Amino acid sequence: MTSLAERTWQIDEAPFVPGKLAHTETIFTVGNGYMGLRATFEEGYPGELVSTLVHGIYDHAAGELVPELVNLPNPLPITIEVDGEVFRLDRGTLYGYRRTLNLKEAILRRGVLWRNGNGAIVQITFERFASLELEHVLAQRVAVRALNKPCTITVTASIDGTQTNEGVGHWTSLIGSSEGDHRIVVTGKTGQSAYGVAIMSSFMPHDLSASVQTVTGGSLQPFVRCQVPLEPEQTATFDKVTAIHSTRDAADPLAAARQTLDAAEARGWDSLRTAHVAEWARYWDDSDVEIEGDEVAQRALRFTTYHVLIAAPRHDEHVSIGAKTLSGPGYKGHVFWDTELFMVPLLTVTQPRLARNLLMYRYHNLPGARNKAREAGYEGALFPWESTDTGEETTPRWIEVKPSGERIRVWTGDTEQHISTDIAYAVMEYWRWTGDETFFANYGAEIVLDTAVFWGSRVEYKPERDRYELPMQIGPDEYHENIDNSAFTNSMVRWHLRTATEVWDWLRHAHPSVASDLAMRLGISDARIARWRDIVEKMYIPYNQERGILEQFDGFSKLQPINLSLWQPRVTNMDAILGHEATQHVMVIKQADIVMLMALLGEEFGSQEERLRNWNFYSRIVDHGSSLSPAMHAWVAARLGLVREAYDLFSFAASIDLEDAKGNVRDGIHGAAAGGLWQAAVFGFAGLRLENGSFVVQPNLPEHWCSMRFHIYFRGKRHTIRLTAE
Ligand code: IFM
C-alpha cells in the first residue's frame, strides 16, 4: 500500500491496457531539458510511437512543407529471451503489470510477471531516467528474476538507427558499430540542417562472470548481448547507460559521447541515480505547490509541473519548448506563444534561470523576427507564429484535414501577430518579478522595443475617425480568421506601446549608452516615441455598448448565435462539427480570448463589474477547442470569486493530459495546459500578483482545500507562501 503522500507523487498504470498505449507513452515521458523520450517499451510493442527528441535538432526534409524536430535513433531497446523465447507483452502470458512514474524522482519504473510458452515464469523490472545532473546521459536498468524453474536469460541491448518521423527520413550517413565488448554507437547527420549526432550506449551485467558476447548487428541496429543461466529466485541485473551529443553542443559528438560515457561509467549507475534524485529534490523544493485536502489536484499539479520542468532547457539559451514539449510529434516540435504566456510564468516565479534561457531564445532569434516584419512590409520585429532553430516563420501555409482530406489555408503564420506582444509581455513579467537588470538592459529591452517598432508601423491611422486600427488579425480565438480590430490584440498593442515608452524613458536614464546604441540600430527617435504615445491614446478597442462589454472584434455580435449547452455531450471541437468556413460566421469561440485579456491585464482590464459582465458573456460561448483555454478560464474565474466554476475548469485543465480529455495526447503533452494549470492554482486560487512594486496574494481557495503552500522568487529572494482555509 502506498501512502497518501507517495500517491500524490506518482502516476500509475495497472493493469496494462494496450489500447491506451499512445496516451501512456506520452504521459510517462522522461526528460531533462536536453532530451525527451516517450515511454515506449524497451522490448517494443506493435503500433508504438517511438520518439527520442533533443532540443534544437530540426531538419527540413525534401518534399515536406516545414522543418520538424527530428526523431533520433532510439537508445531504449533491450530485449529479453527466456530459454530462447522473446519476452513481449503481446506474447506469452502476463500475470501482472505495473508502471509507475515517480514524479519526485523523475524515474519511470515497470514491473511485469510473465510466463513463456514452456512454463518458465519470470519477474522483470525496468527503470529509466534522463539524468538531471548529466544532461547528456540516459540511464536504464533491467532485472530478471527466475521464479519457478531454472532458465537461461538472454538480454540484448541495442540502439535502433532505423527510426523516422512517422515515415519521413531525416538522416544521411547513419553508421552503427561497437566499441570494445560492451559499447555500441550510432552516428549520423541530418540531411538539410546537417546536425551531427552521436548516441553511444554501454551495457553491463552486474555479474561480470556472465558470458558476454558482443556482436555488431545490422549496421543500423548494433547490439550487445549477454546470456545468464538462472536458478529459481536468482536475479540477473543489467545496466544500460547512453550518452547523446550533437554538433549543437560539441564539435565532435562522437568524442563527446565517448567522454560522457567514460565519466558516467566511472561514477557507476547507483551514483548517477542518487545525484539525479538529489538534483530533482532541489527543483521540487522551489517549484512544488503543496495542496492539503485534494489528492487529485495535488497529483495533477505535480504531474503538469514535472512536464514543464523536464522540457525546460537548462544549459542552452538558443532553444525553446515546443507546444508538445519533447514528448511527441505534435506541431512538429514548433514553438508557439504557448511557451511565453503559459509555461514561462511558472519558471519566472519559481525557476528564474530557466525562464531567462527561454527568453534569450527569442532574443537570439530577433533576426528572424526582423526578416518576417520586413518581408511583410513593416519595420521592427514580428516573431514567427511557429518557430524552430532558425527563428524564421515555419507555420505551414496549408494543412490537410483528416479524414475528409480537405485542404485548408493556414493564416496564423501571416496574421496571428499578437505573439510579438505576448513575448514582450513575458519579458516584462520576468523583469518585474526578478529585477534582472543585466538581462533587461542588454536583451529584454531590445525585444520590447523592436516589437514595438513593428506595431508602430503595423497599426493604421484612420483620419476620418481619428483613431488607430488593426485590420486582418487572428486573436487567440482562431475560429475567426483575418478579422478587424481584435479587442485582445488592440488592447495588448496599446499596453505594449505604452510599456515601450516607459522602458525607453527608463533606459535613457539608467543605461544611456545602451539607449543610444538601440536608438541607432532600431531607429528609435523622439518622433517615433511621440507616435507611440499617440497610438496609445487613440488605439481603437471595439466595445459593445448594448451589452457593456468588449466586442471581441468588429462585427462579432452580428455573428450567428449558437446555444452551446444544447450541443452535448460533445468532445469534438465545434469547427470540426460545423466545418472550418462555416464556423467563421458563428458566435462560438475556440479559447480564452477576452478572458485571456482579463488574465493578463488583471485589474487594469476594468472594474470587477466590467470583468464579470465580460466573463458572463464570453465564458458561455467558448467551446474550449484549444487545450490552452480551460486553465485560463479557471484563473480568471478564481479571481472573480467564482470558485466552484473555477475548480471545475481547473479539473478540466488537469484532465487534458492525465485523462486524455481531448483524445490527442498521442501527439504529445499539451505544454501550455500544463503551465496554465500552475497559473490557475497560483495566480488564480492563491491570487498571487504584482502590485505597486511588490507581490500580494488574495486567495480564493476551493472549499475543500485546507491549505496551499509554495515558494516564489521575487527580486532574487525566495519567499514561502502558506495559505489556509478561513
Ligand atoms: O498556440 C496554440 C493556439 O493558441 C491554439 N492552437 C494550438 C496552438 C499550439 O498549442
Side-chain angles (χ1 to χ4, degrees):
M1 269 296 274
T2 43
S3 67
L4 170 66
E6 282 168 340
R7 281 205 302 275
T8 59
W9 279 109
Q10 64 191 47
I11 309 296
D12 287 309
E13 180 200 22
F16 173 54
V17 184
K20 289 192 174 168
L21 212 53
H23 174 222
T24 52
E25 280 173 9
T26 297
I27 63 170
F28 290 138
T29 291
V30 296
N32 59 8
Y34 175 83
M35 62 177 94
L37 294 104
R38 281 173 72 79
T40 44
F41 296 136
E42 284 76 358
E43 70 279 9
Y45 197 84
E48 66 187 355
L49 179 58
V50 175
S51 170
T52 308
L53 301 172
V54 166
H55 273 311
I57 310 282
Y58 289 94
D59 183 63
H60 195 159
E64 292 301 305
L65 286 176
V66 288
E68 66 184 333
L69 209 46
V70 177
N71 191 11
L72 266 58
N74 180 13
L76 292 174
I78 302 176
T79 56
I80 298 160
E81 288 160 60
V82 180
D83 287 336
E85 192 176 326
V86 176
F87 155 73
R88 282 173 65 117
L89 294 177
D90 56 336
R91 297 181 198 163
T93 310
L94 192 61
Y95 291 128
Y97 170 98
R98 174 171 292 273
R99 183 155 54 157
T100 302
L101 176 64
N102 183 315
L103 301 166
K104 191 183 227 168
E105 301 180 331
I107 297 180
L108 180 65
R109 297 188 173 91
R110 177 164 59 115
V112 294
L113 209 52
W114 184 81
R115 179 186 180 275
N116 76 357
N118 285 331
I121 304 175
V122 289
Q123 177 200 57
I124 311 175
T125 56
F126 298 90
E127 207 173 325
R128 74 170 74 145
F129 62 90
S131 169
L132 198 60
E133 179 213 15
L134 303 174
E135 68 173 10
H136 298 281
V137 170
L138 167 76
Q140 291 168 268
R141 175 169 280 177
V142 55
V144 188
R145 175 184 294 181
L147 290 175
N148 60 335
K149 50 168 150 167
C151 55
T152 298
I153 308 296
T154 309
V155 184
T156 306
S158 61
I159 300 172
D160 182 3
T162 65
Q163 294 298 326
T164 61
N165 282 55
E166 300 186 89
V168 176
H170 286 284
W171 296 98
T172 59
S173 59
L174 270 178
I175 302 169
S177 60
S178 62
E179 290 205 354
D181 62 2
H182 67 277
R183 282 188 181 182
I184 45 181
V185 61
V186 171
T187 57
K189 204 180 209 184
T190 55
Q192 163 271 330
S193 54
Y195 289 120
V197 170
I199 299 178
M200 186 181 277
S201 302
S202 74
F203 188 62
M204 297 284 280
H206 280 201
D207 176 1
L208 290 174
S209 70
S211 68
V212 178
Q213 186 196 356
T214 309
V215 191
T216 306
S219 70
L220 290 184
Q221 290 160 310
F223 60 86
V224 182
R225 177 167 295 148
C226 305
Q227 209 168 60
V228 191
L230 288 181
E231 291 300 318
E233 300 200 1
Q234 254 191 333
T235 304
T237 304
F238 306 84
D239 292 340
K240 184 179 185 185
V241 180
T242 299
I244 304 180
H245 280 275
S246 83
T247 45
R248 292 200 68 263
D249 48 74
D252 180 347
L254 179 59
R258 198 173 285 129
Q259 216 174 16
T260 298
L261 210 48
D262 287 346
E265 274 185 10
R267 289 273 305 282
W269 204 94
D270 291 308
S271 139
L272 290 177
R273 180 174 58 189
T274 306
H276 166 75
V277 172
E279 194 65 10
W280 267 96
R282 276 191 280 280
Y283 277 91
W284 279 120
D285 188 40
D286 284 332
S287 294
D288 188 30
V289 175
E290 290 172 67
I291 298 168
E292 235 188 316
D294 191 339
E295 184 186 333
V296 175
Q298 175 70 88
R299 186 190 298 106
L301 203 47
R302 285 180 172 152
F303 168 77
T304 49
T305 302
Y306 162 86
H307 274 288
V308 174
L309 290 179
I310 65 166
R314 302 299 194 274
H315 306 292
D316 191 343
E317 55 178 48
H318 291 265
V319 295
S320 188
I321 309 175
K324 302 286 183 178
T325 69
L326 291 177
S327 58
Y331 292 119
K332 300 193 178 294
H334 294 183
V335 180
F336 295 68
W337 69 317
D338 305 35
T339 316
E340 284 76 18
L341 288 194
F342 295 80
M343 297 181 244
V344 165
L346 181 170
L347 302 173
T348 292
V349 176
T350 73
Q351 305 284 349
R353 195 174 53 84
L354 305 192
R356 189 185 204 270
N357 284 345
L358 294 168
L359 297 175
M360 285 302 294
Y361 163 81
R362 293 300 189 175
Y363 174 79
H364 292 304
N365 283 319
L366 272 169
R370 288 175 182 136
N371 288 343
K372 184 174 171 184
R374 197 178 47 246
E375 278 161 20
Y378 302 106
E379 299 175 285
L382 169 58
F383 281 105
W385 180 246
E386 296 185 32
S387 182
T388 57
D389 53 335
T390 60
E392 302 295 332
E393 180 61 76
T394 49
T395 307
R397 298 201 116 203
W398 295 90
I399 50 160
E400 211 166 271
V401 186
K402 285 177 190 149
S404 67
E406 185 194 358
R407 262 166 67 83
I408 289 181
R409 172 71 161 89
V410 180
W411 286 103
T412 48
D414 303 72
T415 58
E416 192 153 0
Q417 297 174 338
H418 64 79
I419 186 163
S420 275
T421 280
D422 307 331
I423 291 167
Y425 183 90
V427 166
M428 290 307 297
E429 285 296 288
Y430 173 81
W431 188 36
R432 273 152 43 90
W433 276 98
T434 62
D436 181 350
E437 192 160 330
T438 313
F439 165 82
F440 192 73
N442 293 303
Y443 313 109
E446 186 167 338
I447 295 177
V448 174
L449 292 169
D450 215 17
T451 44
V453 170
F454 163 72
W455 286 120
S457 72
R458 175 66 182 85
V459 298
E460 295 179 11
Y461 180 65
K462 302 286 174 194
E464 66 283 14
R465 299 182 204 116
D466 187 26
R467 69 187 192 196
Y468 291 89
E469 298 191 5
L470 205 38
M472 281 288 280
Q473 291 293 312
I474 301 178
D477 163 28
E478 294 170 340
Y479 284 167
H480 300 98
E481 297 170 326
N482 301 336
I483 45 87
D484 295 337
N485 295 309
S486 146
F488 174 91
T489 309
N490 289 20
S491 303
M492 288 303 289
V493 168
R494 183 174 61 180
W495 167 89
H496 190 159
L497 293 177
R498 193 184 59 235
T499 304
T501 60
E502 289 161 8
V503 165
W504 183 245
D505 287 344
W506 174 81
L507 205 61
R508 275 194 319 164
H509 291 106
H511 297 273
S513 60
V514 176
S516 58
D517 170 53
L518 289 183
M520 215 166 58
R521 285 198 293 114
L522 311 186
I524 300 181
S525 59
D526 289 347
R528 195 183 289 275
I529 298 290
R531 178 173 157 86
W532 289 356
R533 290 192 208 284
D534 196 45
I535 297 169
V536 171
E537 208 178 298
K538 297 180 185 159
M539 188 77 209
Y540 164 59
I541 314 288
Y543 193 77
N544 185 322
Q545 295 292 351
E546 204 182 309
R547 294 196 169 101
I549 59 175
L550 290 183
E551 174 93 344
Q552 191 178 288
F553 54 81
D554 284 349
F556 183 79
S557 53
K558 301 215 169 58
L559 298 178
Q560 184 192 324
I562 189 168
N563 183 350
L564 274 188
S565 66
L566 300 180
W567 293 67
Q568 300 293 350
R570 174 177 52 79
V571 280
T572 307
N573 291 351
M574 286 306 291
D575 71 331
I577 298 176
L578 302 175
H580 182 77
E581 178 49 35
T583 310
Q584 313 265 345
H585 309 287
V586 178
M587 202 187 286
V588 56
I589 62 180
K590 179 177 180 180
Q591 64 199 84
D593 187 296
I594 298 294
V595 168
M596 182 80 196
L597 188 63
M598 287 199 255
L600 298 182
L601 297 185
E603 258 96 287
E604 208 183 299
F605 180 94
S607 67
Q608 168 89 352
E609 291 68 37
E610 274 174 288
R611 281 179 287 144
L612 261 175
R613 277 202 303 275
N614 279 280
W615 169 268
N616 286 337
F617 183 76
Y618 285 108
S619 69
R620 308 288 174 251
I621 57 170
V622 65
D623 85 332
H624 298 297
S626 159
S627 65
L628 279 62
S629 190
M632 284 304 117
H633 278 79
W635 167 3
V636 172
R639 297 308 318 126
L640 290 171
L642 308 169
V643 182
R644 289 220 175 135
E645 207 168 333
Y647 187 75
D648 288 347
L649 288 155
F650 177 90
S651 303
F652 180 9
S655 72
I656 285 174
D657 286 319
L658 266 180
E659 314 292 335
D660 200 5
K662 294 190 148 280
N664 61 0
V665 176
R666 169 212 182 263
D667 293 339
I669 287 290
H670 297 83
L677 198 73
W678 181 92
Q679 298 190 75
V682 173
F683 296 156
F685 293 129
L688 177 72
R689 62 173 197 277
L690 294 175
E691 204 173 86
N692 303 325
S694 188
F695 65 87
V696 292
V697 284
Q698 202 177 45
N700 270 329
L701 301 190
E703 260 170 35
H704 60 294
W705 287 18
C706 310
S707 73
M708 208 178 157
R709 182 173 175 273
F710 53 94
H711 302 291
I712 62 165
Y713 280 92
F714 179 67
R715 308 260 158 106
K717 195 164 172 285
R718 193 171 110 136
H719 300 264
T720 302
I721 296 185
R722 179 149 203 281
L723 309 168
T724 46
E726 289 162 87

